[in-house]
Amino acid sequence: MDKTLFSRFLQIKKKSGVSFVDTHVHPIDVLGLAHHYEPSTNDGYSKRIQNPTISLLEHLKFNDFALFILRFVFKFLPFYATSSVRDSYSNSSERELLNRLNSSGIDKAVLIPIEPLVSQDQISQSFKNEKFIKLGSIDLDKTSLGGIEEEMDRQIREFNIVGLKLHPNFQSFYPIPEMNERKLSEKLTQLYSVINKKKLYVLFHAGLSYVPGPKKSFIKKDFALLENFCKDDVSILDLLKVPVVIAHMGVYNVSSADVATQTKMLQKYNHLYFDTTAVNSDLIAKFIKTNGSQAIDRLVFGSDALYFDIKNSLLLVLLALGATLPVSEFETSVVKIFGSNYLDMLKRCQSSSLL
């Protein structure tokens, strides 16, 4: 069935003439556990690309049992999590990523840093192909209030970034400025003002994260729970006037989707999008059933880190669409989620020339 579905996907792509984009790719390990290198021609590279390893999470389609296993591993078997990340990124390179895109029928990838763990400076040293779109990142701890706009200008000038990745869990802040201590609140307010001025879009990680801690352990962080984006009648969408993408549909490592908050935000703000990265088919299907065509217009595809396979990630989306939509709507929905929705986002940011 998956082969048939994927063949149909490729046919739709060819017929549409639209560039299909993976909007969420980490080409360098953001946990700081592995380093990428250019693989030699004799390291089994080609065979591995043709037969990519599918993680247990993917085999289980990111369901509740998979998330239980993930929590167990991070808490009791951190060495296994560390080893898995290192294995996934041991051959990370431009050549590997391009092959992953080609084998998946995806035309372009948005490459994402997370300061202070991985910078766009680091990514751009090795990933230079024209198929790569760049996002920026900023370490607010090390950037002065007056230096925020200067740093954004530098990244726009040097890397032609079209947006900014913010990871509340890794960067230890709440998305709503006033939920943080005063100094950080002022910096976030200034950053959002600069983002609006520069017309960059924002990609927020949303959900739970397990961050490397002392003695090879992992610490659970929940700054980025969906409820923290819309709290006490204050929403991040009121502060940011540019397109905002909530990654993982707000449910990363969260077993039960907050559909009520998703729907409330989606209906109120027309500049809000959700990406499908590391979300199981059932949750995507539930989101579509609840919000209908509005959901289709605000979903964008993403695959996340290299320990997830791009082709498998897109199949999860296709399965959700097949389970919820009549045949007459399937094709147009595929084109929107994998291509035209992201193009529309970039047009709002005056960056459509990249596609």
mmCIF file of all heavy atoms in Angstrom, residues 167-173 205-211 221-225 252:
data_model
loop_
_atom_site.group_PDB
_atom_site.id
_atom_site.type_symbol
_atom_site.label_atom_id
_atom_site.label_comp_id
_atom_site.label_asym_id
_atom_site.label_seq_id
_atom_site.Cartn_x
_atom_site.Cartn_y
_atom_site.Cartn_z
ATOM 1 N N HIS A 167 13.420 27.791 19.809
ATOM 2 C CA HIS A 167 13.171 26.529 20.507
ATOM 3 C C HIS A 167 13.082 26.831 22.005
ATOM 4 O O HIS A 167 14.094 26.811 22.711
ATOM 5 C CB HIS A 167 14.309 25.542 20.222
ATOM 6 C CG HIS A 167 13.968 24.117 20.496
ATOM 7 N ND1 HIS A 167 13.511 23.676 21.718
ATOM 8 C CD2 HIS A 167 14.012 23.005 19.699
ATOM 9 C CE1 HIS A 167 13.304 22.372 21.674
ATOM 10 N NE2 HIS A 167 13.590 21.940 20.450
ATOM 11 N N PRO A 168 11.873 27.114 22.500
ATOM 12 C CA PRO A 168 11.732 27.498 23.909
ATOM 13 C C PRO A 168 12.334 26.497 24.888
ATOM 14 O O PRO A 168 12.889 26.907 25.924
ATOM 15 C CB PRO A 168 10.212 27.600 24.082
ATOM 16 C CG PRO A 168 9.710 27.975 22.722
ATOM 17 C CD PRO A 168 10.595 27.207 21.777
ATOM 18 N N ASN A 169 12.259 25.203 24.591
ATOM 19 C CA ASN A 169 12.786 24.214 25.536
ATOM 20 C C ASN A 169 14.304 24.221 25.593
ATOM 21 O O ASN A 169 14.897 24.199 26.671
ATOM 22 C CB ASN A 169 12.284 22.815 25.163
ATOM 23 C CG ASN A 169 10.792 22.663 25.397
ATOM 24 O OD1 ASN A 169 10.192 23.408 26.162
ATOM 25 N ND2 ASN A 169 10.179 21.701 24.723
ATOM 26 N N PHE A 170 14.961 24.235 24.449
ATOM 27 C CA PHE A 170 16.422 24.261 24.422
ATOM 28 C C PHE A 170 16.973 25.622 24.851
ATOM 29 O O PHE A 170 18.051 25.705 25.422
ATOM 30 C CB PHE A 170 16.938 23.935 23.017
ATOM 31 C CG PHE A 170 16.932 22.472 22.683
ATOM 32 C CD1 PHE A 170 16.378 21.537 23.528
ATOM 33 C CD2 PHE A 170 17.496 22.022 21.502
ATOM 34 C CE1 PHE A 170 16.365 20.188 23.216
ATOM 35 C CE2 PHE A 170 17.496 20.670 21.172
ATOM 36 C CZ PHE A 170 16.929 19.753 22.031
ATOM 37 N N GLN A 171 16.230 26.680 24.539
ATOM 38 C CA GLN A 171 16.711 28.035 24.818
ATOM 39 C C GLN A 171 16.139 28.613 26.110
ATOM 40 O O GLN A 171 16.411 29.754 26.452
ATOM 41 C CB GLN A 171 16.392 28.935 23.617
ATOM 42 C CG GLN A 171 17.112 28.492 22.345
ATOM 43 C CD GLN A 171 16.659 29.237 21.105
ATOM 44 O OE1 GLN A 171 15.488 29.539 20.930
ATOM 45 N NE2 GLN A 171 17.611 29.544 20.218
ATOM 46 N N SER A 172 15.335 27.834 26.804
ATOM 47 C CA SER A 172 14.837 28.148 28.157
ATOM 48 C C SER A 172 14.099 29.477 28.244
ATOM 49 O O SER A 172 14.500 30.387 28.983
ATOM 50 C CB SER A 172 16.001 28.116 29.156
ATOM 51 O OG SER A 172 16.567 26.824 29.215
ATOM 52 N N PHE A 173 13.017 29.594 27.479
ATOM 53 C CA PHE A 173 12.159 30.759 27.614
ATOM 54 C C PHE A 173 10.720 30.378 27.290
ATOM 55 O O PHE A 173 10.453 29.393 26.593
ATOM 56 C CB PHE A 173 12.613 31.896 26.683
ATOM 57 C CG PHE A 173 12.361 31.636 25.212
ATOM 58 C CD1 PHE A 173 11.165 32.007 24.606
ATOM 59 C CD2 PHE A 173 13.332 31.029 24.425
ATOM 60 C CE1 PHE A 173 10.935 31.764 23.259
ATOM 61 C CE2 PHE A 173 13.114 30.783 23.071
ATOM 62 C CZ PHE A 173 11.902 31.151 22.493
ATOM 63 N N HIS A 205 9.467 25.531 17.973
ATOM 64 C CA HIS A 205 9.276 24.188 18.488
ATOM 65 C C HIS A 205 8.120 24.240 19.480
ATOM 66 O O HIS A 205 7.986 25.195 20.247
ATOM 67 C CB HIS A 205 10.535 23.692 19.200
ATOM 68 C CG HIS A 205 10.346 22.371 19.869
ATOM 69 N ND1 HIS A 205 10.598 21.179 19.238
ATOM 70 C CD2 HIS A 205 9.909 22.058 21.118
ATOM 71 C CE1 HIS A 205 10.331 20.177 20.055
ATOM 72 N NE2 HIS A 205 9.903 20.686 21.208
ATOM 73 N N ALA A 206 7.280 23.192 19.485
ATOM 74 C CA ALA A 206 6.157 23.158 20.421
ATOM 75 C C ALA A 206 5.932 21.741 20.925
ATOM 76 O O ALA A 206 5.827 20.798 20.140
ATOM 77 C CB ALA A 206 4.892 23.697 19.761
ATOM 78 N N GLY A 207 5.880 21.616 22.243
ATOM 79 C CA GLY A 207 5.717 20.321 22.882
ATOM 80 C C GLY A 207 6.774 20.126 23.954
ATOM 81 O O GLY A 207 7.357 21.093 24.458
ATOM 82 N N LEU A 208 7.017 18.881 24.335
ATOM 83 C CA LEU A 208 8.031 18.545 25.329
ATOM 84 C C LEU A 208 9.358 18.232 24.657
ATOM 85 O O LEU A 208 9.391 17.827 23.495
ATOM 86 C CB LEU A 208 7.598 17.316 26.138
ATOM 87 C CG LEU A 208 6.345 17.446 27.003
ATOM 88 C CD1 LEU A 208 5.985 16.081 27.584
ATOM 89 C CD2 LEU A 208 6.554 18.451 28.115
ATOM 90 N N SER A 209 10.449 18.397 25.401
ATOM 91 C CA SER A 209 11.769 18.025 24.891
ATOM 92 C C SER A 209 12.579 17.392 26.009
ATOM 93 O O SER A 209 12.366 17.679 27.194
ATOM 94 C CB SER A 209 12.531 19.253 24.369
ATOM 95 O OG SER A 209 11.847 19.873 23.321
ATOM 96 N N TYR A 210 13.510 16.529 25.605
ATOM 97 C CA TYR A 210 14.468 15.956 26.546
ATOM 98 C C TYR A 210 15.836 16.508 26.183
ATOM 99 O O TYR A 210 16.379 16.216 25.118
ATOM 100 C CB TYR A 210 14.431 14.431 26.473
ATOM 101 C CG TYR A 210 13.106 13.870 26.942
ATOM 102 C CD1 TYR A 210 12.067 13.651 26.040
ATOM 103 C CD2 TYR A 210 12.876 13.613 28.290
ATOM 104 C CE1 TYR A 210 10.840 13.160 26.472
ATOM 105 C CE2 TYR A 210 11.653 13.120 28.726
ATOM 106 C CZ TYR A 210 10.640 12.901 27.808
ATOM 107 O OH TYR A 210 9.423 12.428 28.243
ATOM 108 N N VAL A 211 16.366 17.325 27.080
ATOM 109 C CA VAL A 211 17.597 18.066 26.829
ATOM 110 C C VAL A 211 18.745 17.397 27.579
ATOM 111 O O VAL A 211 18.577 16.986 28.738
ATOM 112 C CB VAL A 211 17.433 19.527 27.304
ATOM 113 C CG1 VAL A 211 18.707 20.332 27.077
ATOM 114 C CG2 VAL A 211 16.254 20.182 26.587
ATOM 115 N N LYS A 221 11.955 19.285 29.475
ATOM 116 C CA LYS A 221 11.635 20.710 29.488
ATOM 117 C C LYS A 221 10.269 20.929 28.824
ATOM 118 O O LYS A 221 9.981 20.318 27.789
ATOM 119 C CB LYS A 221 12.706 21.505 28.728
ATOM 120 C CG LYS A 221 14.101 21.470 29.350
ATOM 121 C CD LYS A 221 14.137 22.281 30.637
ATOM 122 C CE LYS A 221 15.558 22.368 31.200
ATOM 123 N NZ LYS A 221 16.410 23.272 30.427
ATOM 124 N N ASP A 222 9.464 21.807 29.413
ATOM 125 C CA ASP A 222 8.113 22.012 28.892
ATOM 126 C C ASP A 222 7.749 23.485 28.674
ATOM 127 O O ASP A 222 6.578 23.851 28.695
ATOM 128 C CB ASP A 222 7.082 21.347 29.808
ATOM 129 C CG ASP A 222 7.076 21.923 31.223
ATOM 130 O OD1 ASP A 222 7.867 22.859 31.495
ATOM 131 O OD2 ASP A 222 6.282 21.432 32.053
ATOM 132 N N PHE A 223 8.747 24.324 28.439
ATOM 133 C CA PHE A 223 8.480 25.729 28.115
ATOM 134 C C PHE A 223 7.575 25.843 26.877
ATOM 135 O O PHE A 223 6.814 26.792 26.748
ATOM 136 C CB PHE A 223 9.791 26.477 27.817
ATOM 137 C CG PHE A 223 10.685 26.685 29.005
ATOM 138 C CD1 PHE A 223 11.698 25.775 29.291
ATOM 139 C CD2 PHE A 223 10.537 27.798 29.819
ATOM 140 C CE1 PHE A 223 12.536 25.975 30.378
ATOM 141 C CE2 PHE A 223 11.373 28.007 30.904
ATOM 142 C CZ PHE A 223 12.373 27.080 31.193
ATOM 143 N N ALA A 224 7.696 24.879 25.966
ATOM 144 C CA ALA A 224 7.064 24.996 24.656
ATOM 145 C C ALA A 224 5.727 24.252 24.542
ATOM 146 O O ALA A 224 5.267 23.988 23.444
ATOM 147 C CB ALA A 224 8.017 24.488 23.570
ATOM 148 N N LEU A 225 5.106 23.941 25.660
ATOM 149 C CA LEU A 225 3.775 23.359 25.585
ATOM 150 C C LEU A 225 2.838 24.325 24.866
ATOM 151 O O LEU A 225 2.940 25.550 25.026
ATOM 152 C CB LEU A 225 3.241 23.055 26.980
ATOM 153 C CG LEU A 225 3.887 21.880 27.718
ATOM 154 C CD1 LEU A 225 3.312 21.770 29.127
ATOM 155 C CD2 LEU A 225 3.698 20.567 26.962
ATOM 156 N N TYR A 252 4.789 17.642 20.212
ATOM 157 C CA TYR A 252 6.034 16.868 20.245
ATOM 158 C C TYR A 252 6.200 16.188 21.606
ATOM 159 O O TYR A 252 6.201 16.840 22.658
ATOM 160 C CB TYR A 252 7.223 17.790 19.988
ATOM 161 C CG TYR A 252 8.517 17.057 19.727
ATOM 162 C CD1 TYR A 252 8.739 16.426 18.505
ATOM 163 C CD2 TYR A 252 9.509 16.985 20.687
ATOM 164 C CE1 TYR A 252 9.919 15.749 18.253
ATOM 165 C CE2 TYR A 252 10.703 16.319 20.436
ATOM 166 C CZ TYR A 252 10.891 15.701 19.222
ATOM 167 O OH TYR A 252 12.068 15.025 18.974
#
